[in-house]
Amino acid sequence: MTGQREKKDDSMRLQRTMLENYYEKLSRAKESGKKVVYTFVPGNLNELLTAFDVLAVHPEVNALQLGMRKKSDEYIIESENDGHSEDVCAYVKCHLGMMNKGGIGPTGTKIPPPDLLLLSYTGCATYLKWFELLRERYHCPIVMLHVPYVSENTIQASQIKYVADQIRDVVVPALEKLTGKKLDKEKLGKHLDTSARTESHLMDVWESAKHQPSPIDAFFGGVYYVGPIFGAFGGLSECEQYYLKLKEEVQERVQKTLGPMTPEGELKDQKWRVVIEGTPPWTHFREFWKMFYDEGAVVVSSSYTRVGGYYDEGFRHDSRKPFESMAEYCLSCYTNRSVSSRIDILERFIKEYKADGFLVNSTKSCNSFSSGQMLILKELERRTGKPGCFIESDLVDPRYFNTANIANRLYSYFQILERREGKRTR
Amino acid sequence: MEMRLEFDIHNTSLEELIQYCEDLYHDLELSYVKKWKEKKGAKAIGFMPVCVPRELIHAAGMLPVGIMGGIDGMEVVRGNAYFQSYICQIPRSTLELALTGKLDCLDGMIFPSICDVVRNMSGMWKLMFPQKYVKYLDLPQNREKQGREFYSGQLECLKKDFEEMAGSNITDDTLRSAIQLYNENRSVIDELYHVRSQYPSKVPSYHLYLLMRASNILEVREHTKLIEKYLSLVMANRDTEVKDKIRVVLTGLFCEQPPPILIKALENSGCYIIEDDWVLGSRYYEKPTDERKPLEGLVESTMNYSVSTATRYEGEKLKGGYLIERIKKLRADGVIFCAPSFCDPALLERPMLQKALLKEKIPFTSCQYSENASQMQTIREQTGTFSDSVRLWERA
């Protein structure tokens, strides 16, 4: 089914170097006099933050990376011992537990405490409590960027104005105060232009999955592809370089009719094309991935890779209207959209990417994603006629990943596909 | 069950009044709402916790109806098919009520921003009940001028929507009059809470809870009269015996509501509940709303005078200040953190509040519930032990 063992692409190596350097910079932030701003991934304002030359920390990225490295459970238990309920978001508990135990991040370097908490309240109500908890701990300034929920199917002008006004009149002054310098509008404009081009490169990568066979896995590979742009690199030229390299590699795979790389080599025989709704179970990411490639399933599109930014309908950052464009970006994130709008997006993915079916991975920690997913499943099956599969796990709490149950469910699902679609040659 | 629209409030006894409230509480068919609509020829708008501007609904000649899930003993079957096991109870039971036709009498539903579950419910509702008016109300977390302007715009939209639904204009005068009625209502509710804190044996929290739940259903004037009557009846009772119980503040119940047996269990375990945050929307503003410029008054109340609760961002204010202030003012002995299972806002708020209480050496205990919980033995034992420990050690 798969070819040679995993071979690292240049883009992967490049991303790894970018991340290592970044964590290194973070660990030396205090010595180098760099200010550290904590903020969240969805709809983040990295173009603006980097215009002020501050370093961003995304707590949920730290949590997910700790989950991937099997370190999250001890931190979650640390937080539960500190008074947190078993019922609440494991990202929060993992991150707070890590900070309680010395703040050593996923790569083994120290994550510095925040100089400012930029509470970008986008698409997740838990963010509010998370940063309140951090503020109580670090007693540092906090600035709220309230991004209203797009409950109708389109973003309202009043919503853009509300967010843009806050960025201009609340966030920028807070960053100016923190850094002691005025906003360099030219630099911001340059970052926004870079982001706009980068977003188009990423879209080219996503759309490559329309090819058959697909040259990418838009979920298991996709979560790596979104790392730089959704993280601390959005707007920087090194970010664009990464996507140019990635695009080049993907185009080469298209030309050679190659499938995506998996941990066990190239996925050569693509039996099933599926769309995934929901977040990855980070603690068992590779096990979960294997359940797909062992069955010849490739993910051709996913909603999780639209959490940081949604470019599929043409949105691009725009230096001609910097604040409005950043506002629109914040508002348009996948988890900030109505259930109906999410169904429309997934329906389009299933149809345009010619998927055989779709899978919903519902995670205990993320009500923003999970609440409504059972209706999403039902509605998508009705609209597309494609079978859906529903599984439950968690983001970083390994106690909620039941390997046997999930494997059985997936195996049964692929059997259903087999019966419906007829056996294909692999 | 057939609910009476007109309750003979003047000639009622305390027992009859509480029985009326119990009937309202158990009336899942919303027969009061149906009869009110029939009599007035008007519409009714439902809303989820915590707070919506009921004044605007009233000013449009419609009835605001608070929907707070099911009650203990209610069977939830269809609602469970839409929510995973790790999601709280209130969305399941609310959807069950709707899917079994019990909310058919509501012409619309408003989902205020409380948490992601209720937020997403607004979209589910739109898809599942397309013939109904559905609105998500984003309460501003930015309390500066940007938030004020945004919220003002949202209220303008609601006003327009309600005018269209009701087929009549909401004038400044009608809104002013509605604000006055709700100010009066909050004022008698404040009095009710004050009397309970003064004479907790006269006003059992079970009574107070039922009276508060009635505010979800009854037309505001009826509710005001109901509380006034209740207060006159209990104050006529000269019995001022106070049992050796501790005075506790109960917090975390602002969305999914506790089953009445939980309240009884707490009070039977040596605790007088003297403050709580259930049915919080009916006492959401700490000051009367200024009716001179009515729409602005509503914005002002939400922005500046709403109570501290886990769903609201409060800027640089340190957590626990509001709670400690209440504890001191009411001479409470301790706090019971009582949150619904899987309630992210309440449960994430809890450690911050607990740390603030520890600094002040205020004792507390914590428990979790769901609206359909039927066994209270563990909670009773826990709070009983808490009460004993406070009486034996803290007071000494």
Side-chain angles (χ1 to χ4, degrees):
Chain A
M1 162 211 339
T2 54
Q4 66 198 65
R5 297 286 299 173
E6 183 178 20
K7 184 173 131 276
K8 294 255 186 300
D9 288 328
D10 287 345
S11 63
M12 283 182 83
R13 278 195 289 273
L14 181 59
Q15 182 175 162
R16 190 179 195 127
T17 308
M18 286 161 73
L19 280 173
E20 281 172 356
N21 290 344
Y22 193 75
Y23 276 107
E24 177 61 21
K25 254 198 244 178
L26 271 178
S27 71
R28 289 187 290 102
K30 296 294 161 193
E31 302 149 35
S32 59
K34 291 266 188 192
K35 297 292 183 190
V36 175
V37 176
Y38 282 26
T39 193
F40 292 106
V41 166
N44 69 54
L45 301 177
N46 208 60
E47 293 79 4
L48 181 67
L49 294 178
T50 47
F52 279 101
D53 207 21
V54 297
L55 297 174
V57 169
H58 304 100
E60 71 272 53
V61 175
N62 291 332
L64 77 85
Q65 289 184 340
L66 288 164
M68 286 181 103
R69 289 166 171 81
K70 311 272 186 201
K71 292 178 183 169
S72 54
D73 49 349
E74 62 171 302
Y75 295 134
I76 289 168
I77 288 165
E78 162 73 18
S79 285
E80 288 177 1
N81 290 339
D82 197 33
H84 284 278
S85 167
E86 203 180 296
D87 289 358
V88 302
C89 172
Y91 264 178
V92 180
K93 288 185 287 188
C94 176
H95 178 249
L96 294 174
M98 176 197 78
M99 298 309 269
N100 268 356
K101 285 195 148 186
I104 302 301
T107 58
T109 54
K110 191 167 169 61
I111 307 287
D115 295 302
L116 175 75
L117 295 164
L118 170 52
L119 205 182
S120 48
Y121 183 62
T122 306
C124 170
T126 297
Y127 288 163
L128 179 69
K129 310 313 295 175
W130 194 338
F131 269 24
E132 282 177 346
L133 283 154
L134 287 177
R135 183 197 53 188
E136 299 276 316
R137 183 189 169 95
Y138 293 107
H139 304 289
C140 64
I142 183 166
V143 58
M144 156 65 83
L145 173 65
H146 176 207
V147 178
Y149 181 54
V150 183
S151 60
E152 309 299 326
N153 279 356
T154 51
I155 296 170
Q156 309 293 305
S158 61
Q159 294 178 318
I160 293 180
K161 182 178 183 316
Y162 177 38
V163 180
D165 286 353
Q166 290 178 85
I167 298 173
R168 186 191 300 106
D169 302 332
V170 181
V171 178
V172 167
L175 289 167
E176 287 179 338
K177 192 175 168 194
L178 177 76
T179 58
K181 55 187 179 190
K182 298 296 282 180
L183 170 64
D184 181 341
K185 288 183 180 162
E186 205 176 309
K187 195 172 177 185
L188 172 64
K190 196 176 148 209
H191 290 179
L192 294 172
D193 288 339
T194 305
S195 270
R197 292 192 302 274
T198 310
E199 287 153 4
S200 293
H201 302 321
L202 177 59
M203 272 315 297
D204 290 340
V205 172
W206 292 147
E207 296 203 336
S208 73
K210 289 178 180 169
H211 288 275
Q212 297 198 29
S214 170
I216 62 164
D217 187 293
F219 182 74
F220 294 104
V223 300
Y224 293 100
Y225 301 159
V226 294
I229 195 168
F230 289 175
F233 301 95
L236 301 179
S237 61
E238 60 187 308
C239 186
E240 187 181 10
Q241 293 309 310
Y242 165 80
Y243 287 98
L244 283 169
K245 175 54 74 184
L246 174 66
K247 197 162 89 168
E248 186 187 309
E249 289 164 357
V250 170
Q251 280 165 350
E252 193 184 330
R253 289 210 289 272
V254 172
Q255 278 160 13
K256 294 180 178 170
T257 336
L258 296 174
M261 290 303 285
T262 74
E264 295 182 35
E266 186 204 339
L267 176 59
K268 285 185 172 162
D269 304 317
Q270 295 180 10
K271 191 176 176 188
W272 308 116
R273 295 168 64 83
V274 294
V275 165
I276 291 189
E277 147 72 11
T279 60
W282 295 110
T283 50
H284 294 73
F285 186 77
R286 289 223 165 174
E287 261 177 281
F288 191 50
W289 191 353
K290 186 171 166 56
M291 292 175 197
F292 284 76
Y293 64 71
D294 274 355
E295 293 296 322
V298 63
V299 185
V300 289
S301 195
S302 66
S303 55
Y304 181 72
T305 51
R306 270 68 171 180
V307 163
Y310 180 70
Y311 317 116
D312 297 63
E313 286 166 23
F315 168 81
R316 298 291 180 270
H317 277 97
D318 188 345
S319 60
R320 290 166 301 177
K321 40 176 188 168
F323 298 113
E324 288 71 18
S325 135
M326 285 188 282
E328 197 180 337
Y329 172 67
C330 296
L331 284 156
S332 65
C333 293
Y334 181 78
T335 42
N336 200 46
R337 288 168 172 262
S338 68
V339 169
S340 151
S341 176
R342 283 170 59 184
I343 294 171
D344 290 344
I345 290 169
L346 290 165
E347 180 187 359
R348 198 166 60 73
F349 284 171
I350 293 166
K351 289 178 176 167
E352 286 184 9
Y353 287 80
K354 296 194 170 28
D356 300 301
F358 64 96
L359 176 124
V360 179
N361 180 35
S362 177
T363 42
K364 173 189 165 284
S365 280
C366 190
N367 285 341
S368 175
F369 247 118
S370 303
S371 171
Q373 277 179 328
M374 291 165 107
L375 178 63
I376 290 175
L377 173 88
K378 208 170 159 180
E379 193 62 15
L380 278 177
E381 284 189 331
R382 188 185 68 78
R383 290 193 199 176
T384 65
K386 302 289 182 188
C389 174
F390 199 91
I391 59 166
E392 292 185 40
S393 63
D394 191 52
L395 293 165
V396 290
D397 192 336
R399 295 172 293 188
Y400 295 92
F401 191 92
N402 186 322
T403 305
N405 275 352
I406 291 173
N408 279 341
R409 183 77 61 99
L410 280 175
Y411 183 64
S412 307
Y413 177 65
F414 291 124
Q415 282 186 329
I416 290 170
L417 285 183
E418 191 124 1
R419 277 201 299 275
R420 282 174 64 113
E421 305 285 329
K423 193 162 185 170
R424 295 178 183 181
T425 308
R426 285 167 44 187
Chain B
M1 183 195 306
E2 278 296 301
M3 281 307 303
R4 291 158 285 176
L5 188 60
E6 304 290 349
F7 176 57
D8 184 9
I9 205 146
H10 299 296
N11 299 312
T12 185
S13 67
L14 184 60
E15 290 70 27
E16 285 169 338
L17 188 147
I18 292 302
Q19 184 59 53
Y20 177 62
C21 293
E22 276 183 349
D23 291 347
L24 279 172
Y25 172 79
H26 286 106
D27 179 25
L28 295 176
E29 302 287 339
L30 299 179
S31 50
Y32 174 91
V33 178
K34 286 176 197 160
K35 287 195 170 172
W36 184 91
K37 284 181 68 175
E38 206 179 294
K39 185 176 172 190
K40 304 276 180 186
K43 292 182 174 167
I45 304 283
F47 63 90
M48 293 286 286
V50 176
C51 184
V52 303
R54 294 172 297 163
E55 292 85 344
L56 266 180
I57 303 172
H58 183 97
M62 301 190 288
L63 183 69
V65 182
I67 299 298
M68 297 195 167
I71 57 173
D72 50 339
M74 173 183 148
E75 195 179 19
V76 176
V77 179
R78 296 170 73 182
N80 276 341
Y82 287 90
F83 293 100
Q84 298 90 321
S85 53
Y86 48 77
I87 285 177
C88 55
Q89 188 63 22
I90 184 170
R92 308 160 186 281
S93 54
T94 304
L95 199 54
E96 180 80 17
L97 291 171
L99 289 169
T100 50
K102 294 186 175 65
L103 304 185
D104 284 356
C105 61
L106 301 179
D107 300 281
M109 269 297 271
I110 303 178
F111 296 84
S113 49
I114 311 170
C115 68
D116 294 330
V117 173
V118 172
R119 184 196 72 170
N120 288 4
M121 267 182 90
S122 66
M124 294 173 71
W125 217 265
K126 277 186 188 173
L127 285 165
M128 297 172 80
F129 309 102
Q131 72 285 11
K132 299 281 185 183
Y133 170 80
V134 181
K135 189 80 179 175
Y136 176 74
L137 180 65
D138 223 331
L139 298 164
Q141 297 290 10
N142 175 318
R143 295 207 192 186
E144 305 302 321
K145 65 175 186 200
Q146 302 85 7
R148 185 180 305 271
E149 193 182 315
F150 176 69
Y151 188 55
S152 187
Q154 291 215 82
L155 291 194
E156 289 284 0
C157 284
L158 273 184
K159 179 171 172 270
K160 199 165 150 263
D161 290 349
F162 294 159
E163 284 173 337
E164 272 174 30
M165 287 181 81
S168 62
N169 285 341
I170 299 175
T171 64
D172 275 1
D173 280 343
T174 54
L175 186 53
R176 202 169 281 131
S177 155
I179 287 173
Q180 282 165 356
L181 292 173
Y182 279 93
N183 280 344
E184 282 164 23
N185 186 251
R186 276 187 290 271
S187 167
V188 295
I189 288 174
D190 282 351
E191 180 61 15
L192 173 67
Y193 271 75
H194 175 70
V195 172
R196 180 182 64 167
S197 76
Q198 294 290 309
Y199 310 105
S201 56
K202 281 192 182 195
V203 181
S205 286
Y206 173 63
H207 285 185
L208 181 138
Y209 179 65
L210 289 174
L211 286 161
M212 291 302 287
R213 288 294 294 254
S215 71
N216 282 337
I217 303 291
L218 294 179
E219 196 269 347
V220 61
R221 279 170 289 222
E222 294 297 316
H223 186 250
T224 302
K225 280 188 218 159
L226 187 78
I227 292 184
E228 284 170 344
K229 181 66 182 178
Y230 176 82
L231 285 171
S232 72
L233 288 168
V234 295
M235 291 315 283
N237 173 5
R238 290 182 178 276
D239 180 8
T240 52
E241 183 206 2
V242 177
K243 291 181 181 155
D244 185 20
K245 295 183 182 182
I246 61 165
R247 294 163 60 83
V248 298
V249 171
L250 204 58
T251 183
L253 314 90
F254 48 83
C255 182
E256 183 175 319
Q257 296 298 292
I261 53 164
L262 171 60
I263 298 162
K264 286 181 178 170
L266 295 179
E267 292 215 310
N268 289 336
S269 66
C271 303
Y272 278 130
I273 300 166
I274 52 149
E275 178 60 298
D276 60 71
D277 58 358
W278 55 54
V279 202
L280 190 61
S282 295
R283 48 195 296 248
Y284 200 63
Y285 305 144
E286 289 190 292
K287 282 186 173 183
T289 301
D290 185 349
E291 76 265 24
R292 284 171 298 179
K293 289 181 181 171
L295 208 62
E296 282 175 37
L298 288 175
V299 173
E300 191 68 12
S301 286
T302 302
M303 302 297 291
N304 292 340
Y305 302 118
S306 52
V307 293
S308 173
T309 184
T311 60
R312 293 298 311 274
Y313 174 68
E314 293 178 308
E316 301 282 347
K317 267 194 215 165
L318 280 180
K319 283 281 164 188
Y322 180 83
L323 179 62
I324 290 165
E325 191 188 304
R326 304 292 295 161
I327 292 165
K328 289 184 175 167
K329 189 177 166 194
L330 296 167
R331 294 174 290 104
D333 295 304
V335 174
I336 299 179
F337 290 96
C338 194
S341 294
F342 303 108
C343 176
D344 267 353
L347 292 170
L348 285 164
E349 178 97 340
R350 199 172 68 183
M352 290 185 275
L353 297 179
Q354 289 178 339
K355 280 181 182 153
L357 294 186
L358 280 172
K359 273 190 197 161
E360 295 284 325
K361 297 190 169 55
I362 296 168
F364 59 83
T365 190
S366 309
C367 56
Q368 284 181 215
Y369 67 89
S370 68
E371 67 180 22
N372 60 348
S374 56
Q375 295 297 322
M376 291 297 145
Q377 187 60 23
T378 313
I379 290 181
R380 190 160 44 232
E381 280 170 12
Q382 188 187 340
T383 52
T385 307
F386 177 63
S387 171
D388 289 346
S389 71
V390 171
R391 276 182 292 161
L392 291 171
W393 303 109
E394 302 287 339
R395 283 179 179 172

